[in-house]
Amino acid sequence: MSRIDVDIGDIVHQGQTLAVLEVPELKAELQQTVFQLQQTKEEIARAQHEINRAEAEHARCTQRRSGLSSSSGPTGFDCATGTGRCRGKDLSSEAQVDAAKSAMAAAQEHTGAAQSDNQRVEALHNYTNVRAPLDGVVIWRYADTGH
């Protein structure tokens, strides 16, 4: 028992805190879920940055490829070979965009799981706050703080 806010004969109102229980293991678990939730949010931010980077690279490759395929004239450049290489880079950058989006989906799934776990532990932690079920007078107390 961490603290008891009422004593025998006290008038209490519904929802009033009567006592707060101390459960160190539950408090540690709650802190852990908060930390995990923060980590998953950072994972989402990293995934978003990777998507942005991959999309920018893909746009650059696509633009370069379209510029090569439309070039003509005596540049001394073999357009067919250059376009093929650019097409390969274009496909590779497209695959990187897809991979980044998959990483984002996984990060969002991890966040959902972390939020669910955090809510579960928070609900359990809320039970450490003992509240009056109704208005009345305390007529008996079965607990003591032990101090």
Side-chain angles (χ1 to χ4, degrees):
M1 190 68 56
S2 178
R3 73 172 206 258
I4 298 175
D5 295 343
V6 297
D7 204 354
I8 296 172
D10 288 350
I11 297 173
V12 296
H13 303 284
Q14 183 178 8
Q16 178 182 342
T17 299
L18 303 177
V20 177
L21 305 174
E22 187 173 335
V23 185
E25 299 85 1
L26 192 56
K27 186 175 182 179
E29 189 175 355
L30 181 60
Q31 289 173 340
Q32 179 65 26
T33 63
V34 168
F35 175 73
Q36 288 172 339
L37 189 56
Q38 182 61 37
Q39 280 186 317
T40 62
K41 288 179 180 179
E42 290 170 5
E43 188 180 337
I44 284 177
R46 281 190 303 273
Q48 186 59 55
H49 289 300
E50 182 58 26
I51 287 171
N52 294 343
R53 187 205 61 74
E55 285 177 339
E57 177 67 19
H58 179 61
R60 187 181 63 78
C61 286
T62 302
Q63 183 180 20
R64 181 181 229 183
R65 189 172 130 241
S66 66
L68 282 176
S69 62
S70 65
S71 69
S72 61
T75 61
F77 186 76
D78 181 2
C79 288
T81 305
T83 303
R85 262 189 261 134
C86 283
R87 175 72 179 140
K89 286 184 179 182
D90 191 24
L91 289 173
S92 174
S93 66
E94 188 175 343
Q96 288 176 349
V97 169
D98 290 342
K101 287 181 178 179
S102 292
M104 172 62 91
Q108 289 171 333
E109 192 172 305
H110 290 153
T111 299
Q115 282 176 332
S116 177
D117 196 35
N118 177 258
Q119 289 170 350
R120 178 188 61 80
V121 175
E122 262 185 6
L124 289 173
H125 189 264
N126 287 340
Y127 286 116
T128 63
N129 195 2
V130 181
R131 298 187 182 278
L134 48 90
D135 293 343
V137 176
V138 177
I139 59 171
W140 193 258
R141 192 173 87 181
Y142 294 100
D144 198 354
T145 59
H147 296 145

